[in-house]
C-alpha cells in the first residue's frame, strides 16, 4: 500500500452494512489532513444514548462517502463476527437503529470515522478520526426557548422540547396561543425542579401575563406583583425538594449599539432577590439593597446554600436619572458571585458571603450552576454586565468549591459567545448555548465533564439533516435538561394563562 497522495488499491473486508447502502471507494489517494465537516464532530465525546450524529463535507467536492465503524473494538462486530459499519453517501445520516447498535458496541471506546471525497474522477481519503462513546448517559430530554436573535420580534416564539436520543421535537408552549401583535405576549424563563418535567414554571409577559407553575398535575397562574417587592419574579431557581422558588426581580431594559460589536445590551436599573412559597402563596425579599443589582439565583443540590450574582452600583451623577446613568456606565458593572446559607427546616437564610470576586479580575461573573455532587460551580464570565448571551467575549468558567480555584473551561470555550448552561442529572455532562458557528445564532452544545471538572471537546445538538442549523433562523435560548418530556399540552397552559392569576401575600419571613 503506497501513501503520500499516490493511488491506493484497497480490498474491502466482508462487513455488516446498514441502511445507507453506499460503498466505500476502492481506489483513492491519501490526504494527511482531517476533513472539514459540519457540524464538527472530530474527536468529540458523546453519551451512549445520543441521537445519530449526522454531518456533511464542509468544502467543495463532487461527492462524499463517509463510514462509521467499530473496527479496532473488541466488541465491535456484527453477524458472523464481521466488523460493524455504517456507510453513507453525500451526507452521513445513519439510521437510528443502526446508530444505536453502533454506539452500544463501542461504549467505552471509539467509533472510527473515514471520509472520502471525489473531485472529478479521483477520490481522496482524509485522515481518519474518532468519536469517543462515553458509557455515561445524558438526560433524555432538552427544552429551550426558540426565538429570533434580534429580540425585536418575538411573536413566533415557543418553549420547545427535544428528545436527545432521537430527533423528536414538540412544543411545550406557543407564544401566540393567547394573542399576537398589540395583544401579544412574551414567554420566558422555563425552569424545573431537579430535572422533573412534571414540576416546572415559566413566565408570560404583557397579554395575559403571569407565572405558570405546574406541580405533579396541578397547574396555576400566579400574579407575583406586589407593592412590597420590586417586580414579579424573573430568573427562577427551584429548591431541590421544597415547594419553594427563589427569583430575582428586575427592572430590565435594553439598548442598541451602532458601532460596538456587542450590538444589544440588556441591563437592570434595579434588581433584588425574593423567595416564593408555592403552597402558601407567600413571598418575601431576601436581598434588596438599592446599591446592589442581584440576579441569577441557583441552589446547591443539598438545598442548604443559595448562590446568586450581584454588582455594586453607587450613583455618581445626580443630574441624570439612575436609568440613564446605568446606560452610561454599563461597562462599569462587574458582577460577583455570592452565597447565602439556608436551613430547610426553619426556612431561614443567612447573611450573604462573597464567593468569587470577578471584579478583581476586571471581569463580570454570572449564571452560576452547581454540579449535582456539589463540588463544581459552572458560570459565565465576560468583561462587564450580566446578559452575556450578547457578549462575544463570554466564556464558561469552572469554580472548584472544594479548593476555591476558578479556571476557564478551555476545552469547551470558543472565540465567540458561550452563555446559558446547565448540568445533567448525573453530573457528567453540561449543555450550553454557543454562537461559535456564525456569531449570531445560539445553538446547544454538549460537553462531557470528568471527575476533576475538565471538559472534553463539545459537540452540537445532532439533527436529522446536518445542514438544519444553517437554515434554521432562530436561537436556542436557556437549554434545560429533563428526565422526560412535559406532557401538559400547550392549549392547557394557554387556558390557564387566560384566567386570573393567584395573588401573592408579602411576609417578612416565610412560614415553616
Amino acid at each position: 500500500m503506497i501513501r503520500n497522495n499516490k493511488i491506493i488499491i484497497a480490498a474491502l473486508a466482508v462487513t455488516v452494512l446498514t441502511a445507507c447502502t453506499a460503498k466505500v471507494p476502492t481506489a483513492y489517494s491519501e490526504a494527511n489532513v482531517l476533513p472539514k465537516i459540519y457540524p464538527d464532530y472530530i474527536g468529540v465525546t458523546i453519551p451512549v444514548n445520543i441521537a445519530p450524529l449526522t454531518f456533511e463535507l464542509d468544502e467543495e467536492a463532487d461527492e462524499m462517502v463517509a463510514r462509521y465503524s467499530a473496527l479496532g473494538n473488541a466488541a465491535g462486530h456484527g453477524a458472523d463476527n464481521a466488523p460493524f459499519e455504517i456507510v453513507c453517501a453525500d451526507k452521513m445520516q445513519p439510521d437510528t437503529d443502526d446508530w444505536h447498535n453502533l454506539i452500544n458496541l463501542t461504549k467505552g471506546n471509539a467509533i472510527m470515522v473515514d471520509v472520502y471525497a471525489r473531485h472529478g474522477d479521483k477520490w481522496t481519503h482524509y485522515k481518519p478520526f474518532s468519536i469517543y462513546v462515553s458509557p455515561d448517559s445524558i438526560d433524555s430530554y432538552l427544552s429551550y426557548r426558540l426565538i429570533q436573535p434580534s429580540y425585536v420580534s418575538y411573536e413566533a416564539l415557543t418553549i420547545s422540547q427535544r428528545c436527545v436520543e432521537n430527533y423528536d421535537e414538540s412544543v411545550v408552549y406557543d407564544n401566540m396561543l393567547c394573542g399576537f401583535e398589540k395583544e401579544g405576549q412574551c414567554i420566558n424563563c422555563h425552569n424545573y425542579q431537579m430535572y422533573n418535567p412534571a414540576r416546572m414554571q415559566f413566565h408570560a409577559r404583557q397579554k395575559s401575563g403571569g407565572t405558570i407553575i405546574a406541580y405533579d398535575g396541578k397547574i396555576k397562574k400566579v400574579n407575583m406583583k406586589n407593592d412590597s417587592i420590586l417586580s414579579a419574579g424573573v430568573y427562577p431557581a427551584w429548591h431541590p425538594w421544597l415547594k419553594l422558588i427563589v427569583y430575582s426581580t428586575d427592572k430590565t431594559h435594553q439598548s442598541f449599539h451602532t458601532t460596538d460589536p456587542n450590538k444589544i445590551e440588556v441591563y437592570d436599573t434595579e434588581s433584588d432577590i425574593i423567595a416564593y412559597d408555592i403552597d402558601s402563596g407567600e413571598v418575601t425579599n431576601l436581598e434588596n439593597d438599592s446599591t446592589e443589582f442581584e440576579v441569577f439565583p441557583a441552589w446547591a443540590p443539598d438545598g442548604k446554600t443559595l448562590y446568586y450574582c450581584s454588582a455594586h452600583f453607587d450613583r455618581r451623577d445626580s443630574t441624570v436619572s439612575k436609568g440613564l446613568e446605568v446606560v452610561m456606565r454599563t461597562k462599569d458593572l462587574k458582577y460577583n458571585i455570592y452565597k447565602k446559607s439556608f436551613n430547610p427546616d426553619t426556612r431561614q437564610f443567612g447573611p450573604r458571603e462573597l464567593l468569587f470576586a470577578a471584579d478583581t479580575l476586571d471581569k463580570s461573573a454570572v449564571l452560576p450552576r452547581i454540579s449535582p455532587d456539589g463540588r463544581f460551580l459552572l458560570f459565565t464570565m465576560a468583561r462587564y454586565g450580566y446578559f452575556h448571551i450578547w457578549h462575544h467575549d463570554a466564556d464558561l468558567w469552572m469554580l472548584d468549591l472544594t479548593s476555591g480555584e476558578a479556571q476557564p473551561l478551555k476545552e469547551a470555550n470558543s472565540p465567540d459567545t458561550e452563555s446559558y448552561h446547565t448540568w445533567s442529572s448525573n453530573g457528567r455532562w453540561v449543555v450550553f448555548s454557543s454562537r461559535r458557528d456564525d456569531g449570531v445564532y445560539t445553538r446547544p452544545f454538549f460537553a462531557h465533564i470528568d471527575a476533576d471538572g475538565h471538559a472534553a471537546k463539545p459537540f452540537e445538538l445532532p439533527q436529522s439533516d446536518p445542514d438544519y442549523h444553517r437554515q434554521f433562523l432562530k436561537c436556542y435560548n436557556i437549554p434545560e435538561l429533563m428526565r422526560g418530556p412535559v406532557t401538559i399540552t400547550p392549549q392547557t397552559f394557554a387556558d390557564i394563562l387566560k384566567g386570573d392569576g393567584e395573588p401573592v401575600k408579602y411576609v417578612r419571613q416565610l412560614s415553616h
Side-chain angles (χ1 to χ4, degrees), residues 168-186:
D168 293 345
E169 184 183 62
S170 59
V171 172
V172 176
Y173 183 71
D174 189 318
N175 199 52
M176 292 193 288
L177 286 176
C178 285
F180 59 95
E181 294 182 350
K182 292 182 179 180
E183 295 295 311
Q185 62 178 199
C186 177

Side-chain angles (χ1 to χ4, degrees), residues 79 140 142 165 181 186 188 190 219 253 305 324 360 363 387 395 407 462 487:
S140 58
L142 178 73
E165 299 177 342
E181 294 182 350
C186 177
N188 50 47
H190 56 286
I219 312 169
H253 305 268
T305 306
L324 180 56
T360 62
K363 297 285 188 179
F387 217 73
D395 281 334
Q407 293 183 342
T487 57

